Amino acid sequence: MTLLRIALTCTLLVFTFTAAAQQYPKPNAAQQAGIDKDNSRHFGDSPADPGPLAKDLSPALTPAAIDAATRRVADWELARAQPTWDQIWTSGVLYVGFMATSSQLNDPKYSNSMLGMANQFHWQLRGRQPNQDEKIAHLPGADDQDLAQTYLELYLLSGKKDVSMIAPLHADFDAVIPQQTLRPNDPRIPWWWCDALFMAPPAWARLYAATDDHKYIDYLNLNWQRTSDLLYDKQDHLYARDAAYIGKLGPNGKKIYWSRGEGWVLGGIARTLEYLPKDDPRRPFYVRQMREMSAALAALQETAGDAAGLWHSSLLDPQNFPLPENSGSALIAFGMAYGVNNGILDRATYMPVITRAWAGLLRHIYTDGRLGDIQQTGAEPTPYYPGSSYDYGIGGYLLAASEFKKLAVKPVTTIAPDTVANTDPAVYAKLNLPSPANPARRNLFLVGDSTVRNGKGDGAHNQMGWGDELAPYFNTSKINVVNRAIGGRSSRTYISEGHWAETLKLVKPGDVILIQFGHNDSGPLDDPDRARGSINGTDTESKEVDNPVRHVHETVYTFGHYLDQYIKDARAHGATPILCSLVPRKIWHDGKTERQTSTYRGWTREIAERDHVGYIDLNEITAEKYDALGEAAVEPLFGDPHTHTTVAGAVMNAESIVSGLKALPNDPVVRDFSAKGKAIKPFNAK
């Protein structure tokens, strides 16, 4: 056995032991050869033992916390990459990240290093060498053009004072314009793969800004449209990596949508819009694709486990690709953050997605500044190592951090509630929760979030919570059904904002309280947008935070602690508490609805068993109905990409609640059902 093979074997053995807690597919021999090649070309590396993860980085969306997390990664990468500057596309993506970091941190160290790089390469692009017939120069393609983004930003930063800085690339881009195909004797379009939409269009937009010559925008618009026509799936609102992947299926039989490829496109839209003329007639085209792609990607964000808040390499196949992929995740987060910052995406809708993504990225930063879980170069999802870190992924992370800093310092712009699908009425209006219709009767109170009471409970934006469809299943001459749920609330904030105390004022002995939380508990504890997260689990852990929303010092507890509090308070008032699991989301795997298993659903069940209270597994009851109906029939039951139901979907969940109540060993409302409620059968798990 050669020394190299011995070393590789030992490395893999060490890695297996140090990462034993994680189960993930290992690269085969051919894939390992690709990793070794990337490492030898100084794109990055994939050590067996990357060291300990950082424990001192806060996910709070505050300027200081974001700057600290940015500098940690940027300084580590700058020291590692500077000795081997290159003109290849991987480096080009890193360079734009350094430019963003220099602006974010107001530190010229990073832009000065980019100026040194540009001078080192005489402001030229890669690819200006003769091709095989030595007569026609190989003009720089999209991967080569990405370096121009940094050259042009340096030129614009200088105030357009020295045109010699951009003269070489000016000539290259002018020579590319007449080409209708990738190159002579190659019929492919110039941007034939989706990655090209990050590499090239932002450079063409910046060249327009540098020259005021609209021909560069015309070229950009023409060729993006050609790529979109070829690769954009108008139903899924995602891009195929290239034509070879249209209709190609992955190991699980589903389409292959690569998170890094989607990140390239979403990030490319953001960086193109930054310099596209505000009055360009094609601008709505890019805005529409950003909105469509963001909605599709938000629905595919992982919510649990090590990948929580991030996206898997293969978006539709988390089982075969369980690790998060952080080059794609960072670029997706960057694109969404840009969309929120620039009024393209609704802040209330996307801030939870963005904050989860930022917290997820920070969990994969090591003490020295390495950002892990970055897949090696390629054209599709393939296995990689948790410690792998490559320059283009760092570039995406730095771009995301820069946009997150803008989110942290930018004033919140209130959007009129009739312009967005608002599930959180407290953002825009004073709460007006219902009280018992007849105080003399016993009450069935509902406490939860927007899946129970959506917005004002009026069905706006084709969304309705199940709590507003529950009353018809009860004899309201005997019992009041009082929906006190509030959109956007978590188990923590429903208590800390005083809503639970107000509800308890209405509770009397003999009442029943249905409690459902978990959809909004996974966010950071102290993010400046909502600060609603609870600590994972059911134990006694707590953490002191300064709440930036309520401007108070607060002790935050686990999800299970808050459920315990609801139960104890309800019993203290003589009421019967019943816990309910989350609604199932519209996410499918192998023809089955995805179940929420080990986290909030499991913790809710655990607390119910520990505290000896009733438990309704709404997640499973409705998921079984979805499985029986199939994807096509379930689609109309949702008013958004994956969580909030239409009236029809709310009715189905309400019936599931009734079915779950009837399945309890001691149903506290057994005598209170209407004829419609009596017709529902008790749930019997398959």
Side-chain angles (χ1 to χ4, degrees):
M1 183 179 289
T2 66
L3 289 177
L4 177 62
R5 290 179 63 194
I6 292 173
L8 178 59
T9 301
C10 291
T11 295
L12 291 175
L13 285 172
V14 170
F15 186 87
T16 300
F17 285 112
T18 57
Q22 297 189 60
Q23 298 299 319
Y24 56 90
K26 309 302 188 293
N28 59 31
Q31 292 159 349
Q32 183 63 50
I35 293 172
D36 294 340
K37 182 178 179 180
D38 280 1
N39 296 352
S40 70
R41 298 174 76 184
H42 306 292
F43 296 169
D45 57 16
S46 51
D49 182 8
L53 289 165
K55 301 296 184 183
D56 58 343
L57 297 176
S58 170
L61 288 187
T62 62
I66 295 169
D67 284 353
T70 303
R71 193 178 293 276
R72 177 80 60 88
V73 175
D75 285 353
W76 176 81
E77 180 65 23
L78 184 62
R80 182 175 79 153
Q82 193 162 12
T84 56
W85 288 148
D86 200 342
Q87 294 165 287
I88 200 167
W89 67 268
T90 68
S91 297
V93 180
L94 174 63
Y95 299 157
V96 300
F98 279 139
M99 291 297 291
T101 297
S102 191
S103 175
Q104 173 193 335
L105 301 180
N106 194 26
D107 189 340
K109 172 175 67 175
Y110 307 101
S111 58
N112 285 343
S113 70
M114 294 298 91
L115 185 61
M117 175 277 299
N119 286 324
Q120 176 182 333
F121 295 121
H122 308 291
W123 300 83
Q124 292 184 345
L125 304 179
R126 189 175 70 112
R128 262 299 190 177
Q129 70 274 5
N131 67 1
Q132 291 182 348
D133 64 16
E134 297 185 355
K135 294 179 181 178
I136 303 174
H138 169 61
L139 297 176
D143 277 348
D144 308 313
Q145 293 165 20
D146 82 322
L147 189 58
Q149 297 183 45
T150 298
Y151 291 166
L152 286 159
E153 288 182 4
L154 287 167
Y155 173 69
L156 293 168
L157 191 64
S158 74
K160 304 183 183 181
K161 292 179 180 178
D162 184 0
V163 294
S164 67
M165 297 166 69
I166 63 169
L169 64 90
H170 196 292
D172 282 343
F173 279 57
D174 281 356
V176 166
I177 289 176
Q179 292 188 171
Q180 296 299 307
T181 60
L182 182 64
R183 60 177 62 92
N185 302 317
D186 189 331
R188 290 177 294 178
I189 59 176
W191 302 338
W192 57 270
W193 72 119
C194 73
D195 312 32
L197 298 180
F198 182 91
M199 310 302 166
W204 289 84
R206 282 158 177 75
L207 186 54
Y208 161 77
T211 63
D212 295 320
D213 192 334
H214 207 275
K215 69 182 179 184
Y216 301 117
I217 295 296
D218 294 338
Y219 180 88
L220 185 169
N221 287 335
L222 170 65
N223 285 285
W224 192 305
Q225 184 67 61
R226 295 172 72 186
T227 305
S228 178
D229 290 344
L230 178 66
L231 302 179
Y232 188 57
D233 190 304
K234 293 180 175 60
Q235 180 177 355
D236 294 341
H237 295 153
L238 296 171
Y239 273 79
R241 193 271 176 178
D242 59 60
Y245 288 85
I246 298 174
K248 184 177 180 179
L249 304 180
N252 66 344
K254 295 187 178 182
K255 295 178 183 178
I256 299 175
Y257 287 124
W258 189 21
S259 64
R260 185 153 78 219
E262 309 309 325
W264 288 136
V265 180
L266 195 63
I269 295 174
R271 286 184 59 79
T272 298
L273 285 173
E274 188 177 0
Y275 283 90
L276 192 76
K278 300 297 183 184
D279 60 351
D280 190 274
R282 293 289 295 164
R283 194 174 186 86
F285 164 81
Y286 301 106
V287 167
R288 183 176 68 253
Q289 284 206 347
M290 173 172 276
R291 288 173 174 165
E292 291 176 349
M293 291 187 70
S294 294
L297 290 165
L300 296 170
Q301 184 183 40
E302 181 58 79
T303 59
D306 185 55
L310 303 172
W311 286 265
H312 297 281
S313 181
S314 186
L315 290 170
L316 304 186
D317 193 1
Q319 284 77 22
N320 286 300
F321 298 89
L323 294 179
E325 203 294 303
N326 286 332
S327 65
S329 294
L331 288 163
I332 291 168
F334 160 64
M336 290 182 178
Y338 177 90
V340 171
N341 275 327
N342 290 274
I344 297 170
L345 301 179
D346 170 48
R347 184 183 180 97
T349 299
Y350 284 95
M351 279 303 297
V353 180
I354 292 168
T355 53
R356 286 194 295 267
W358 182 241
L361 288 169
L362 265 55
R363 287 199 308 273
H364 296 272
I365 295 174
Y366 292 83
T367 300
D368 59 2
R370 169 188 296 272
L371 174 65
D373 282 294
I374 298 174
Q375 183 187 323
Q376 63 274 9
T377 61
E380 65 180 6
T382 56
Y384 49 93
Y385 300 116
S388 62
S389 188
Y390 295 99
D391 48 10
Y392 44 86
I394 303 301
Y397 167 85
L398 296 178
L399 287 173
S402 177
E403 282 299 319
F404 276 59
K405 173 71 171 290
K406 295 173 187 176
L407 279 174
V409 301
K410 187 175 183 179
V412 177
T413 300
T414 300
I415 302 174
D418 60 349
T419 65
V420 296
N422 172 33
T423 63
D424 187 352
V427 173
Y428 305 109
K430 183 178 179 180
L431 291 171
N432 184 24
L433 299 181
S435 297
N438 187 335
R441 297 174 189 145
R442 61 195 295 254
N443 303 300
L444 172 60
F445 288 103
L446 312 179
V447 172
D449 53 37
S450 60
T451 63
V452 186
R453 185 177 191 260
N454 193 287
K456 297 178 181 179
D458 56 4
H461 308 289
N462 198 30
Q463 296 179 22
M464 183 71 82
W466 59 261
D468 285 313
E469 298 297 328
L470 189 63
Y473 298 91
F474 289 87
N475 182 348
T476 53
S477 66
K478 298 171 61 178
I479 189 170
N480 301 306
V481 178
V482 190
N483 189 358
R484 303 276 298 181
I486 308 172
R489 294 312 178 268
S490 65
S491 66
R492 163 193 168 191
T493 56
Y494 194 90
I495 291 174
S496 64
E497 293 174 358
H499 309 302
W500 177 231
E502 291 299 311
T503 296
L504 285 173
K505 292 178 181 178
L506 305 172
V507 177
K508 60 181 184 291
D511 288 349
V512 178
I513 309 177
L514 277 180
I515 303 157
Q516 181 200 64
F517 285 107
H519 294 96
N520 301 319
D521 277 79
S522 61
L525 306 186
D526 57 354
D527 74 86
D529 190 62
R530 290 186 174 178
R532 63 186 184 181
S534 59
I535 299 172
N536 288 348
T538 61
D539 61 19
T540 58
E541 182 182 356
S542 65
K543 184 175 181 180
E544 301 293 317
V545 302
D546 290 318
N547 189 315
V549 175
R550 297 174 55 233
H551 304 291
V552 297
H553 187 77
E554 182 181 2
T555 303
V556 179
Y557 300 95
T558 63
F559 177 71
H561 170 93
Y562 291 113
L563 293 188
D564 275 332
Q565 184 171 341
Y566 289 108
I567 292 168
K568 292 174 183 176
D569 290 346
R571 284 172 166 167
H573 283 71
T576 300
I578 298 173
L579 298 186
C580 180
S581 67
L582 296 75
V583 300
R585 303 168 79 200
K586 189 185 64 180
I587 300 176
W588 297 83
H589 297 299
D590 299 322
K592 298 290 185 181
T593 307
E594 180 183 77
R595 268 68 163 175
Q596 209 285 342
T597 54
S598 60
T599 55
Y600 296 102
R601 178 186 176 199
W603 296 329
T604 302
R605 182 195 296 272
E606 179 184 338
I607 293 298
E609 292 175 349
R610 191 170 76 190
D611 291 355
H612 306 291
V613 301
Y615 171 72
I616 299 175
D617 195 354
L618 177 60
N619 195 268
E620 180 63 29
I621 299 173
T622 297
E624 287 190 8
K625 297 177 181 178
Y626 289 171
D627 290 348
L629 289 171
E631 292 187 44
V634 169
E635 188 68 28
L637 301 179
F638 282 80
D640 72 356
H642 59 78
T643 302
H644 296 104
T645 57
T646 61
V647 171
V651 168
M652 180 175 289
N653 278 323
E655 292 182 349
S656 295
I657 290 290
V658 174
S659 181
L661 284 167
K662 289 187 169 186
L664 295 175
N666 297 296
D667 178 6
V669 292
V670 65
R671 296 182 178 87
D672 300 313
F673 291 116
S674 65
K676 189 173 183 179
K678 292 176 181 177
I680 302 295
K681 294 181 179 179
F683 174 63
N684 184 13
K686 293 181 179 179

